[in-house]
Amino acid sequence: MAATKVLAIVLAGGEGKRLMPLTADRAKPAVPFGGIYRMVDFVLSNLVNGHYLKIVVLTQYKSHSLDRHITKTWRMSTLLGNYVAPVPAQQRLGPHWFAGSADAIYQSLNLITDDCPDIVIVFGADHIYRMDPGQMVRQHVATGAGVTVAGIRQPRSMSDQFGVIEVAEGSNRITAFREKPADPPGLPDSPDEIFASMGNYVFSTDVLIDAVTKDAADPDSKHDMGGNIIPMLVERGEAAVYDFRDNDVPGTTDRDRGYWRDVGTLDSFYDAHMDLISVHPVFNLYNHEWPIYTDHPPWPPAKFVHGYQGRVGRAVNSMVAPGVVVSGSLVENSVLSPGVTVHSYAHVDGTVLMGGVQVGRHAVVRNAIVDKNVVIPEGAQIGVDLDRDRERFTVSDGGIVVIGKGQKVDP
Ligand code: ADQ
């Protein structure tokens, strides 16, 4: 039997409104994560580690830094016909942008028909996780479903952020799929949990083409994968679920097996960083059997030096990227990206500092996310008086202070 031909489509056009101000200037999948990565690196690493090497990334919203990152980092030899290609909205079917994720695929059908795959993987680009997509593809082929949706248990209180899946007892056939319902029933064996869609799908090619084409002709549709396409295929009895609990990635430990985070809000984005720095991390970036790839600019190693009046520069319970200088200051429970400098007597705690951030002498930065190249002046206090911070920055529901790119910080 001939090998199954697979094309992967990564949906990366989302606006990411709930991550503002981090998405003021870039698409959500391009938001820096974990010191040296961008969000899109996680899905692309999963696909590439799974040996899926024909990948198109559909971009649209503020896509410049995303395009640049993908082109620079994910360029592959085309010798064997492999590629990771960012594809912007091209208005091939008329003068309008992608109306939704299903419309993005409909407008890009030429990519599928050019390649003639048997199966199309459609994955989102805004999750932090490790997954071997091959295991899901094999289940899809074995069950003969039209679409297979990856599912994971999540707290019922978060149901309004997810597509909620109901499954026929004793089988993996999806009987109901509701996009972001307010108050769905809990699982029979766990009333406080729901079975959530991870926004990752495996389609038989003809089923995908038929579904997005029919959807495009429906004037009442929002042209959304989770809102329209999956419910349509559930109604036709063609949808199955793949339980993420079954995914077994080489090198994962009991602690981080099954880890998956939707980092769609500022608080979940922050919490995912804290997952990285715990002493025994619940998401382990040291797994060399399933590496997460990214761009590595030529920064020198991180440096910790005595600063003003011989004060020791230290970082504990933190991840510190190349190019960082910690001089006579204390960094705790934090993630520091390339090119960050922390000056004498400063104290950085529970904070994510993105590339090039400068923290001045005697400054305090606590429970914060600080976007690229922001300068925190000498003596400034961030995350100390939240009422004052609310007047000048974004403060998340969970009390995390977020300073956007280019924002000026007064002392
Ligand atoms: P959401 O993440 O809220 O829910 P959406 O905003 O459509 O859905 O984003 C899904 C993916 O598609 C993201 O990677 C996004 O970047 C991309 N995308 C969105 N609009 C796009 C467009 N116009 N062009 C190209 N790409 C686009 C989805 C599912 C839920 C599921 C959650 C899991 O709809 O059912 O539970 O993901 O996080």
Side-chain angles (χ1 to χ4, degrees):
M1 197 177 86
T4 310
K5 275 184 70 180
V6 178
L7 171 71
I9 297 180
V10 173
L11 296 169
E15 202 173 326
K17 280 202 193 96
R18 291 173 304 159
L19 277 185
M20 286 292 264
L22 305 178
T23 46
D25 199 28
R26 49 168 98 84
K28 179 156 94 164
V31 172
F33 182 85
I36 58 170
Y37 309 95
R38 294 196 188 239
M39 280 191 203
V40 73
D41 293 327
F42 291 83
V43 62
L44 291 176
S45 296
N46 286 328
L47 290 166
V48 165
N49 285 326
H51 306 294
Y52 295 112
L53 301 175
K54 289 180 197 289
I55 306 171
V56 289
V57 184
L58 301 186
T59 68
Q60 156 161 273
Y61 172 83
K62 294 186 177 160
S63 59
H64 174 63
S65 57
L66 181 60
D67 283 353
R68 199 184 46 206
H69 175 75
I70 293 170
T71 315
K72 208 166 131 206
T73 309
W74 290 93
R75 198 176 37 199
M76 283 200 288
S77 164
T78 50
L79 258 184
L80 302 171
N82 299 326
Y83 51 86
V84 179
V87 180
Q90 297 177 74
Q91 304 198 341
R92 298 175 67 94
L93 303 175
H96 59 89
W97 299 117
F98 298 153
S101 48
D103 187 45
I105 294 183
Y106 179 66
Q107 288 201 41
S108 312
L109 278 180
N110 62 305
L111 301 170
I112 300 178
T113 46
D114 284 356
D115 215 78
C116 300
D118 304 302
I119 279 176
V120 184
I121 292 177
V122 178
F123 276 17
D126 36 20
H127 304 119
I128 307 302
Y129 65 124
R130 270 199 177 82
M131 172 174 183
D132 178 359
Q135 296 169 22
M136 181 172 172
V137 169
R138 283 194 288 281
Q139 180 196 299
H140 178 83
V141 172
T143 59
V147 63
T148 301
V149 181
I152 186 169
R153 287 173 180 239
Q154 291 289 295
R156 200 173 81 89
S157 57
M158 291 171 70
S159 62
D160 61 352
Q161 297 180 32
F162 296 119
V164 175
I165 300 168
E166 283 174 40
V167 180
E169 215 187 311
S171 94
N172 53 20
R173 195 168 59 80
I174 302 180
T175 52
F177 185 100
R178 280 176 296 153
E179 183 71 353
K180 303 176 183 161
D183 193 20
L187 291 171
D189 65 348
S190 177
D192 292 332
E193 285 188 313
I194 50 155
F195 209 19
S197 161
M198 294 165 62
N200 285 356
Y201 319 107
V202 171
F203 284 92
S204 302
T205 303
D206 48 347
V207 172
L208 176 63
I209 294 176
D210 178 66
V212 294
T213 306
K214 289 220 166 74
D215 174 76
D218 178 357
D220 298 325
S221 173
K222 287 192 179 141
H223 311 300
D224 184 57
M225 293 303 286
N228 304 102
I229 301 297
I230 303 302
M232 178 200 294
L233 295 173
V234 167
E235 212 160 281
R236 289 193 205 161
E238 290 194 68
V241 74
Y242 170 77
D243 192 338
F244 185 57
R245 276 196 301 198
D246 297 338
N247 207 256
D248 190 12
V249 174
T252 49
T253 60
D254 284 349
R255 194 177 287 272
D256 80 337
R257 184 163 297 122
Y259 181 90
W260 178 82
R261 260 208 202 258
D262 176 11
V263 281
T265 64
L266 291 169
D267 285 322
S268 58
F269 178 83
Y270 178 84
D271 291 344
H273 279 87
M274 296 303 119
D275 290 343
L276 299 179
I277 56 171
S278 46
V279 179
H280 301 290
V282 284
F283 187 62
N284 174 17
L285 289 169
Y286 301 84
N287 180 352
H288 294 298
E289 292 180 60
W290 200 269
I292 308 297
Y293 299 100
T294 192
D295 181 32
H296 291 282
W299 286 103
K303 190 172 173 187
F304 302 83
V305 294
H306 288 292
Y308 188 64
Q309 294 177 334
R311 205 178 152 83
V312 181
R314 288 185 294 153
V316 285
N317 294 340
S318 297
M319 294 184 98
V320 179
V324 169
V325 179
V326 177
S327 163
S329 47
L330 175 61
V331 173
E332 299 179 275
N333 312 311
S334 295
V335 177
L336 272 51
S337 312
V340 165
T341 304
V342 186
H343 292 282
S344 290
Y345 295 102
H347 185 194
V348 175
D349 188 6
T351 287
V352 178
L353 299 180
M354 294 187 183
V357 168
Q358 305 288 310
V359 181
R361 274 190 200 175
H362 296 283
V364 175
V365 188
R366 205 184 274 166
N367 301 339
I369 302 168
V370 185
D371 206 335
K372 277 188 165 174
N373 298 327
V374 167
V375 176
I376 312 277
E378 187 168 338
Q381 305 228 317
I382 311 292
V384 176
D385 176 353
L386 287 188
D387 289 334
R388 173 155 188 248
D389 289 336
R390 267 188 202 98
E391 286 165 16
R392 45 186 190 158
F393 310 122
T394 303
V395 178
S396 72
D397 295 343
I400 305 303
V401 182
V402 188
I403 307 181
K405 209 168 148 186
Q407 235 177 313
K408 194 169 167 331
V409 181
D410 292 325

